[in-house]
Amino acid sequence: MKHLNQTRTHRRLQRGQAMVEYSMINWVLIVALIIASSVKMDWGGSQDQNVIDLFLQAYQVYYDSYYFVLNLPFP
């Protein structure tokens, strides 16, 4: 019976360690995403833009080109 309790405790500790590691990795990824999206970056253009601004600009170009193709006068 003592061996069974030790095995359960060991498994419980392993699961706890896995959850702590998972939480730490997620925290690091979220913080890195927040920092990367808020930092102004110089991409060789005339103005500094952060990652979110660049994604929105790319989406606007995609939307404009799609709208342009749909409105062509050709059948």
Side-chain angles (χ1 to χ4, degrees):
M1 187 67 159
K2 185 177 180 183
H3 181 357
L4 183 61
N5 286 338
Q6 287 177 346
T7 305
R8 285 184 185 169
T9 304
H10 184 67
R11 273 192 241 150
R12 222 177 270 146
L13 290 175
Q14 285 179 339
R15 281 187 292 206
Q17 180 182 356
M19 286 302 296
V20 169
E21 291 174 359
Y22 175 76
S23 300
M24 288 174 55
I25 290 171
N26 280 335
W27 182 83
V28 167
L29 290 175
I30 289 171
V31 169
L33 179 63
I34 290 171
I35 290 172
S37 66
S38 63
V39 172
K40 300 285 185 187
M41 298 187 182
D42 183 17
W43 296 98
S46 61
Q47 59 185 356
D48 294 340
Q49 293 178 327
N50 63 21
V51 176
I52 294 174
D53 291 335
L54 292 172
F55 275 118
L56 289 174
Q57 183 180 5
Y59 181 71
Q60 185 65 44
V61 169
Y62 169 76
Y63 181 78
D64 289 343
S65 64
Y66 190 71
Y67 188 73
F68 175 76
V69 169
L70 286 177
N71 287 320
L72 286 175
F74 305 115

